[in-house]
Amino acid sequence: MLQATPLTEGWILRHEGGELPAVVPGCVHTDLLAAGAIPDPFLGRNETDLAWVGRRDWTYETELPPVDGHEQTDLVFDGLDTVAEILLDGQLLGRTRNMHRSYRFDVTGMAGRLAVRFVSAYAEAEAVRGKLGERPAAYAEPYQYLRKMACSFGWDWGPTLVTAGIWRPVRIERWSTARIARVRPLVTVGEQGLGVVELAVEVERARVEAPLRVEASVGGVRASASLDGTEGVVRLEVPGVGLWWPRGYGEQSLYDVELTLLHEDRPLDVWRRRVGFRTVELDRAADAHGTGFTLVVNGERLFARGVNWIPDDVFPSRITRERYRERLGQAADAGVDLVRIWGGGIYESEDFYDACDELGLLVWQDFPFACAAYPEEQPLRGEVEAEARENVVRLMPHPSLVLWNGNNENLWGFRDWGWEARLAGDSWGEGYYLGVLPRVVAELDPTRPYTAGSPWSGSWDHHPNDPAHGTHHSWEVWNRQDYAEYRREVPRFVAEFGWQAPPAYATLARALPGEVLAADSPGMLHHQKADDGNGKLRRGLERHFAFPEGDFDRWHYLMQVNQARALAAGIEHWRSHWPVCAGTVVWQLNDCWPVTSWAAIDGDGREKPLYHELRRLYADRLLTLRGRVLAVVNQTAEEWAGAVRLRRMSVEGTVIGEADVEFRAGRRAVAEVSVPRELDPVGPKEFLVADADGLRAVHFPVADREIPYPQPEFDVSVTPGAVTVTAHTLVRDLLLQADRLDPAARADRGLVTLLPGERVTIGVSGWKTPDPDAARSALYCLEPSR
C-alpha cells in the first residue's frame, strides 16, 4: 500500500544569514510572530511597519531522510505560497508559481537537505507586469499578475500583508506498481431515487505491464473494473438513496465512497470521500421581468439566503477545522443556506466543504479572480487552466457545492470602470471566464452549473450589472445613496450588497491597546480600509439620526443600528418579491482581521447586531411592512395561515386603532395583506405594528431624527445567564453589548424593540460576575434627538 508520511518536523526559516524555527504548514509572518521577531500586525498600526516582509525572499529548510522499500518516492506539497524553487541537496526539483495548486516531485533514492526558496511575490508580479504590460485594477497592488490570494495585497476591508510559505501540508509518499493519481466522481440521481456514482479513475504506474483493477463501494453496493493503461471507470447504482438537501429543506444524507486500486488482489492505494445525492440546476430562463437566476435543488426552487465569505484570516494556514466549523455554524444558526466563496480569496480546504456538507450550506465557488483585468498570456494562462482542473476535481465530491462562478466584478469592470479604453485591445480575462473555465467545468464536472461572473447578465446583450438580468451587485446605495433606495428596484438575484459598521467594542479594545477610541482616532482610521469609509458612514447615519459628535460610545451603537437597518431594508424588500427576486447574498459574513467593515461577524469572531438581525431576516417566516401592504413571507414546506394583529400606535404608547386581518401564504410563497386605511400612521409621532405567530414588523413613516422618542424607561434584572429588561415606555432598538461586561461574554440576541409593558430576556454566556448596574451600563437604545 501507498504510505504517506507528513513532513512537519525540523523546518527552519532562513533569511539573510539568520534562521528561525518554522511551523509547516504555516507562513513567514506566523513564524516571525512565533519567534517574537515582529509585532502582531493586527494591533494598532503595526501592519504598516511590516511591509518589508513581502518585499524579501525567504527559504524553508529541513532534512529529507533516506527512505526505501518501495519502487517510487514522491515529495508532495498541497500548497506553496507562491513563487518558489524546490532543491534537494542543491539539485533543482522544480519551480512553482501558483498558490492554488499542489505539486509532486519524484525523489526516489534521494535524501539530504531540502530547501524551498520563495521569491518575493512583489518581485514576481512586477516582472510579469513588465513582460505583459500594465492592466487596470481596483487597487494599486499588482495582485492580478500571479496566482496568489488577491487579498494578501490588501482590500477595502483587509490589511496588506503579502506573505510566503508552505501554507498547506507537505508529505512523503512511497508506493510500488501504481498509485491513484485522480478520481473524478460524477454523482447523479436517476428515476425512482436511483443514486448513481461514476468514478473516473486515473493512475500513475511504476510498472507499465502490471494488470490493475479497482474495487469501489458506496451505500452497501460494490462494483469493480479493470484499468486499460492508466484510466478506467467504475459505476455504482444505489437504489432508494436518501437525498442531500440544503438546510431547512430536508436531511443532509451523506454516503461514504471507497475506491481501492489492486494488483493481483494486493491493494496498492485507496481513495475515500463522502458524497451526497442531489440534483442542482440554475434556471436562467427569460420571462416578463427579464432573465432569471434561480437555484433549483432536487426540483425545489429556492430563495437563496446567502452570505459572502472572505478568507477567515489573512494568513489562511492559521484557520483550523474547528474554526471553520464554528464560523460556518454561526452562518447556519443565522438562517443562512448559501455561502459564496468570493473570488479574491482561495479555494478553501476540505474542512470548509465538509462542514458545509454537514450543515446543509450551499456553496457558490468563485474562481480566484477579482476586481482586475487579468492577462491571458503565459505564464498565467497555463497556470489558470491547471489550477481550475485540479480544484474542480478536488471539490467535486461535495454535495454542498452547487455553482461555479468565473470571477468577481471583472466583466462589470470592463464595461463600466474605464478598462476597455485603457486596455486598448490587450487581454483582460474574458477568455478565461467565457472560454477556459466553462470548458473545464463542462468537461470535468457537468453535474453543476457555471456562470461567467458576478455580476453578470448572461451575455453582452445586456449590461453586466443589469438588475433585471442574472446577478446584480448593489453598491450605489452604500457609496452614494440612502439605504431606503434598496426598495426602488427588484433585482433577479442580489449577489452583493452591504453596509459598514465597526467591530465589537472588546475587539477594538484588544486591537487598539492604549488608544482613546474615537471615530477618527489614529488606530480607528487605520482599521478602516474603505475609500472615504468614515465619510460614507457619517453621511449614511445623518440621513436617519443626529450625528453624535464627540461621543464614541453613541457613535459605535448608532453605526451598529444603521448597519442592521440597511440590510433589513434590502432583504425584507427583496424577499417579499419572491419569486422575481430569487436570492440575496449579504456582503459579508466574516472578517480576516479586526476592522470596520461590512461583516456580520467581526475579526475576533464576535457577532455584530447585524448577525442577530440576519437571524430574523433569514428565518423561514418573515413579516415586512411596505406602506399599506404587509408581506407575509413563508419559506416553509407548509401553508402558513392565521391572523395578523395590526396596531396604529403613538410613541407615547397609545393604541390609536387596531384590527385583526386574516392571511394565507402557500408553501414557499409570499402573501400580501392590505393594511386598512384607518390604520395608516400619520405624522412623526405614530407608527404601525404587525404581530403574527410571535413575529413582528414595525413601520415608522419618517426618519428617526424626526421621531419625538420618549426618554426610555425600563427595569433591569439579572439572573445567572440572563438579563431581563421590562419596558415602561417605547424602547426602540434596545441592544445589550455583552462584550462590555466581559470580553468573553456573548448575548443571544441583538436589537429588539419593546412596547410599553413588554419585556425581553437576553441570554448571556461567559459573564462571570453578573450585576444589574453593570448590565444597565451595557444597554443602549434610541433616545430623544440631541
Side-chain angles (χ1 to χ4, degrees), residues 1-8 67 70 72-76 78 104 169-175 179 268-270:
M1 282 285 284
L2 179 146
Q3 294 182 347
T5 305
L7 196 58
T8 57
V67 293
H70 285 76
Q72 181 146 338
T73 302
D74 292 339
L75 174 63
V76 183
D78 285 341
R104 179 179 293 267
V170 55
R171 63 191 174 277
I172 297 294
E173 289 189 358
R174 295 177 290 156
W175 53 279
R179 71 171 185 90
L268 302 175
D269 198 358
V270 65

Side-chain angles (χ1 to χ4, degrees), residues 77-327:
F77 293 93
D78 285 341
L80 294 169
D81 180 12
T82 291
V83 182
E85 58 179 17
I86 297 88
L87 303 102
L88 186 55
D89 267 356
Q91 179 180 335
L92 181 66
L93 299 178
R95 293 185 173 90
T96 73
R97 56 191 317 126
N98 192 329
M99 177 183 183
H100 305 301
R101 293 178 60 187
S102 63
Y103 298 92
R104 179 179 293 267
F105 304 102
D106 184 350
V107 292
T108 305
M110 302 174 69
R113 195 67 175 169
L114 175 64
V116 184
R117 296 178 179 171
F118 289 97
V119 175
S120 162
Y122 278 110
E124 168 70 9
E126 289 160 0
V128 172
R129 179 172 60 189
K131 175 184 176 182
L132 302 182
E134 190 80 33
R135 300 294 199 283
Y139 304 99
E141 298 279 312
Y143 58 89
Q144 74 268 46
Y145 300 102
L146 76 168
R147 300 306 296 151
K148 176 177 171 63
M149 184 173 87
C151 63
S152 294
F153 292 89
W155 220 259
D156 57 4
W157 36 256
T160 302
L161 293 166
V162 179
T163 195
I166 305 171
W167 77 289
R168 279 183 167 163
V170 55
R171 63 191 174 277
I172 297 294
E173 289 189 358
R174 295 177 290 156
W175 53 279
S176 298
T177 307
R179 71 171 185 90
I180 298 171
R182 187 172 81 164
V183 178
R184 187 167 59 88
L186 289 173
V187 182
T188 56
V189 182
E191 295 182 1
Q192 298 178 332
L194 180 69
V196 179
V197 180
E198 286 188 354
L199 301 173
V201 186
E202 297 177 18
V203 301
E204 181 183 359
R205 287 176 173 268
R207 283 189 260 163
V208 175
E209 76 287 353
L212 300 175
R213 63 187 180 88
V214 289
E215 291 183 352
S217 64
V218 60
V221 174
R222 304 186 68 85
S224 63
S226 297
L227 295 187
D228 181 13
T230 59
E231 298 182 356
V233 177
V234 59
R235 178 184 172 95
L236 301 105
E237 297 185 352
V238 187
V241 294
L243 296 180
W244 185 94
W245 286 93
R247 62 172 303 282
Y249 289 83
E251 298 297 318
Q252 288 76 54
S253 299
L254 295 167
Y255 290 78
D256 292 321
V257 179
E258 181 172 296
L259 180 142
T260 304
L261 175 66
L262 302 107
H263 167 56
E264 297 178 345
D265 295 326
R266 179 168 60 89
L268 302 175
D269 198 358
V270 65
W271 177 91
R272 297 183 182 93
R273 296 291 188 277
R274 285 187 312 176
V275 301
F277 294 95
R278 56 101 184 95
T279 63
V280 58
E281 303 168 73
L282 181 60
D283 184 353
R284 289 180 271 202
D287 58 25
H289 304 279
T291 308
F293 194 92
T294 304
L295 282 166
V296 185
V297 178
N298 298 328
E300 188 79 64
R301 301 174 67 83
L302 311 182
F303 181 97
R305 293 169 278 187
V307 288
N308 281 274
W309 171 276
I310 66 170
D312 205 51
D313 195 315
V314 74
F315 307 127
S317 59
R318 296 199 295 199
I319 309 173
T320 62
R321 182 179 183 87
E322 292 72 26
R323 182 162 159 185
Y324 276 125
R325 192 61 171 74
E326 176 187 7
R327 197 71 68 244

